[in-house]
Amino acid sequence: MIIMKKNATPEQIRHVVGEIKKHGLRADISRGEFRTVIGLVGDESKVSFTHLAALPGVKEARMVETPYKLISREYSELFQGEDKSKIVKVNDIEIGGNEPVFVAGPCAIESKKQLLRIAEEVKRAGAHILRGGIFKPRSSVHSFQGLGSLGSEEAEEALNWLHDAGERFGMPVMTEVRGEAQVDLIAEYVDILQIGARNMYDQDLLGKVAKKGKPILFKRHFGASIEEFLSFSEYIAAEGNKDIILCERGIVPIGKGKSHTRYTLDLTAVPVVQKETYLPIVVDPSHATGRRDLIFNMSCAAIAAGASGLLIEVHYNPAEALVDAEQMITPEELKSIIDACKRINKVVRNVN
Ligand code: PEP
Ligand code: MN
């Protein structure tokens, strides 16, 4: 990264960017009140740091070894002049501030009636953001794939319901983008674009979604190390989109024999990610455990670990849900989780 002098002129900054581009790299320009820092995006072996360091207005050219430098604390500290976490703003909701944010809704949107009822009930329970799957990633081609699989008209209709439910109950909305072909359509209707665990490694999809300039909820793949998780987040940041909400949703269970949970919730990811990056991280106890009887405890634990929020699947009649019925909780259960988590958050953050 190139650290500009405090009094560097716009012309000097443009010149440095030009030099970077000349070598086939891209430049991520971060202008802080403190100073401007330029992150190099691409194959750094193609540029000479000694050459860049000697350009007018440059204070220092520093080689950063981490594969996720644009989202690293070191980078933000350089241009902001202090170590500051990022708050991702979605309408009037702040993710990464002092209060935990609750994202709730059905696994899959099944009908307009189902969505509106769940939206109303999760809002009443205290949720801030409404989620609902339309293009569902499913393990079997023989199971319900979400309304998005029925055709583009049905997909657009479901997106409309989601958008309208958000307006009606005053919540930003989020749905998963499963493939590149869906990006433009979905971005017209939702406030947050979700990248599912299975697509964490799809760098083409990440690039395309990032370019929409909307906040992205980015889920960790169940087989990914934290380093991989953050390295792939960098593909989003490299497009100039830093409105990234990271999401821990469980990693593969270990050992032989029956696993008692769907995945293993890795709560260590929360403080580790917070030390490595300035991005907020939320936890999804629903997919991590796959069991409704564990959601309360794991939600409390996630907030105690410092998570900026939770993503929880909710249905008024869990047994009836077409997808992920076993992990669905009722709006009443959601309310007791939100109440408990708010109390835990006060203790953890020592805020009143
Ligand atoms: C989801 O949130 O609907 C989902 C499918 O989760 P994941 O990608 O974590 O499996
Ligand atoms: Mn689900």
Side-chain angles (χ1 to χ4, degrees):
M1 49 183 78
I2 312 298
I3 304 156
M4 301 301 294
K5 287 182 181 156
K6 277 184 192 149
N7 58 0
T9 65
E11 181 48 40
Q12 288 171 334
I13 295 171
R14 266 198 300 277
H15 182 57
V16 172
V17 171
E19 284 298 304
I20 292 170
K21 287 188 174 160
K22 225 198 267 175
H23 293 88
L25 280 80
R26 286 181 289 155
D28 180 84
I29 309 169
S30 289
R31 289 187 175 86
E33 276 173 34
F34 193 62
R35 60 158 48 98
T36 294
V37 178
I38 305 169
L40 273 62
V41 178
D43 182 356
E44 288 175 347
S45 65
K46 290 194 180 138
V47 287
S48 150
F49 277 73
T50 339
H51 168 66
L52 291 173
L55 295 175
V58 174
K59 177 174 180 275
E60 188 188 334
R62 192 186 293 183
M63 184 83 177
V64 181
E65 296 298 337
T66 160
Y68 45 86
K69 60 187 176 190
L70 302 180
I71 59 166
S72 69
R73 285 210 171 263
E74 186 184 353
Y75 187 63
S76 82
E77 200 174 340
L78 278 173
F79 69 86
Q80 295 190 111
E82 60 179 314
D83 184 5
K84 211 158 69 176
S85 296
K86 182 178 175 71
I87 294 181
V88 176
K89 289 200 177 79
V90 192
N91 303 344
D92 57 344
I93 307 293
E94 294 190 340
I95 302 141
N98 279 332
E99 294 298 324
V101 168
F102 300 93
V103 184
C107 179
I109 296 175
E110 298 164 7
S111 66
K112 184 175 180 183
K113 207 167 141 220
Q114 174 244 23
L115 178 66
L116 286 177
R117 181 166 165 196
I118 294 175
E120 183 174 10
E121 296 186 7
V122 299
K123 174 73 185 186
R124 204 185 306 135
H128 303 97
I129 297 169
L130 177 66
R131 64 147 283 149
I134 295 168
F135 296 93
K136 292 302 303 173
R138 299 307 307 278
S139 307
S140 167
V141 71
H142 303 295
S143 46
F144 175 60
Q145 308 285 307
L147 295 174
S149 66
L150 301 179
S152 49
E153 253 175 60
E154 284 80 359
E156 198 149 1
E157 201 176 19
L159 283 162
N160 247 313
W161 301 336
L162 183 58
H163 180 265
D164 291 353
E167 297 251 293
R168 187 141 142 200
F169 299 106
M171 289 179 282
V173 297
M174 174 177 93
T175 201
E176 176 169 349
V177 184
R178 207 187 47 205
E180 283 180 70
Q182 302 150 8
V183 179
D184 293 335
L185 176 69
I186 295 178
E188 277 180 46
Y189 290 92
V190 304
D191 306 288
I192 305 172
L193 299 156
Q194 173 178 333
I195 298 289
R198 285 153 197 82
N199 286 318
M200 189 203 88
Y201 293 106
D202 187 343
Q203 62 203 62
D204 296 323
L205 177 64
L206 302 189
K208 184 149 189 201
V209 169
K211 285 198 189 83
K212 287 289 161 189
K214 291 203 163 190
I216 294 169
L217 183 121
F218 187 58
K219 287 189 152 195
R220 178 182 180 183
H221 187 275
F222 32 81
S225 64
I226 293 174
E227 180 168 278
E228 282 179 295
F229 182 31
L230 298 180
S231 298
F232 279 86
S233 313
E234 186 89 345
Y235 276 99
I236 301 171
E239 297 298 335
N241 188 343
K242 314 274 173 60
D243 285 330
I244 307 167
I245 305 152
L246 300 168
C247 179
E248 161 60 37
R249 47 79 69 214
I251 51 178
V252 282
I254 51 159
K256 287 187 181 157
K258 174 177 147 72
S259 172
H260 286 74
T261 52
R262 191 171 173 186
Y263 295 94
T264 303
L265 180 55
D266 178 13
L267 284 182
T268 58
V270 175
V272 170
V273 160
Q274 286 168 341
K275 283 185 206 303
E276 294 291 309
T277 87
Y278 52 84
L279 298 175
I281 176 163
V282 301
V283 169
D284 170 356
S286 301
H287 293 91
T289 64
R291 285 176 53 169
R292 77 169 59 92
D293 62 328
L294 303 183
I295 311 288
F296 181 90
N297 293 80
M298 291 301 101
S299 295
C300 293
I303 297 299
S308 289
L310 297 171
L311 187 158
I312 300 179
E313 292 192 335
V314 178
H315 199 288
Y316 46 82
N317 186 354
E320 215 180 63
L322 293 182
V323 188
D324 286 348
E326 325 71 49
Q327 68 198 35
M328 217 58 68
I329 60 165
T330 63
E332 293 72 33
E333 288 169 313
L334 177 68
K335 183 170 185 329
S336 59
I337 287 172
I338 292 178
D339 291 347
C341 285
K342 282 185 172 169
R343 298 211 306 273
I344 292 167
N345 185 64
K346 279 208 177 77
V347 177
V348 172
R349 290 175 197 267
N350 206 11
V351 291
N352 294 299

